Amino acid sequence: MSDELSVLVVGAPSASRDRIERTLDGSGFSVVVDDGSNVSPLLASAPADCLVCTRSVSDGTWRTLLEESGTIPVVLCGPFEGTDLAAAINAGVDGYLPPDAIESELVERIEAAIHDEVRRRSPELAELEQRDLIVETVADGVYALDTDGCYTMVN
């Protein structure tokens, strides 16, 4: 993992937040941690590639937070209540991890969320990945592309 990627971890001090910070630090992320009493100003002052929330949003709705975060993926980690978790998922958060999955899945989930966001912003990257998938699945394949780069034949 590149040390160029930064993660803003928002939540009250807790064992869960400490585990998140240690896990991300150990994986080469640049980590900024805040208690998150008011998330919106943090997004403006601490540019990040991903936002990890370990607490409910106290300064507005999930939809407002997601609108303000723009293209920054938002991943929830921790013990969220059913209705709050449902509201966050309905608003469009990029992922959720229960507390017992932090060490085993957090880095993978954040990398996937960042990758998905890059793909949404870069149609060219998505097209290249699709081409790679097509070509890699054909053993000893022969393919032809037209002048627009579209496949005209694959065998």
Side-chain angles (χ1 to χ4, degrees), residues 7-152:
V7 178
L8 174 59
V9 180
V10 175
S14 67
S16 181
R17 190 184 82 175
D18 293 344
R19 285 193 346 252
I20 292 168
E21 184 177 10
R22 281 193 311 274
T23 299
L24 295 175
D25 275 338
S27 297
F29 286 94
S30 170
V31 182
V32 175
V33 180
D34 193 89
D35 71 359
S37 57
N38 197 356
V39 176
S40 302
L42 287 172
L43 294 171
S45 66
D49 297 299
C50 188
L51 172 65
V52 175
C53 289
T54 64
R55 63 177 292 151
S56 291
V57 176
S58 60
D59 64 336
T61 65
W62 284 109
R63 195 168 306 284
T64 300
L65 172 65
L66 291 168
E67 288 170 2
E68 290 175 357
S69 68
T71 60
I72 299 172
V74 177
V75 177
L76 307 181
C77 289
F80 283 82
E81 296 297 320
T83 56
D84 197 37
L85 179 57
I89 290 171
N90 287 334
V93 296
D94 298 283
Y96 168 72
L97 286 174
D100 60 342
I102 290 171
E103 285 90 353
S104 63
E105 298 180 36
L106 180 62
V107 171
E108 181 180 302
R109 187 67 55 96
I110 289 174
E111 288 174 340
I114 292 171
H115 179 75
D116 289 348
E117 186 55 43
V118 168
R119 286 185 69 212
R120 278 193 288 269
R121 286 187 271 162
S122 174
E124 296 84 17
L125 178 60
E127 183 178 330
L128 286 173
E129 287 179 344
Q130 182 180 12
R131 284 185 187 171
D132 286 347
L133 179 65
I134 291 170
V135 172
E136 288 174 4
T137 58
V138 179
D140 294 332
V142 175
Y143 61 93
L145 301 173
D146 64 15
T147 56
D148 294 325
C150 296
Y151 287 95
T152 58

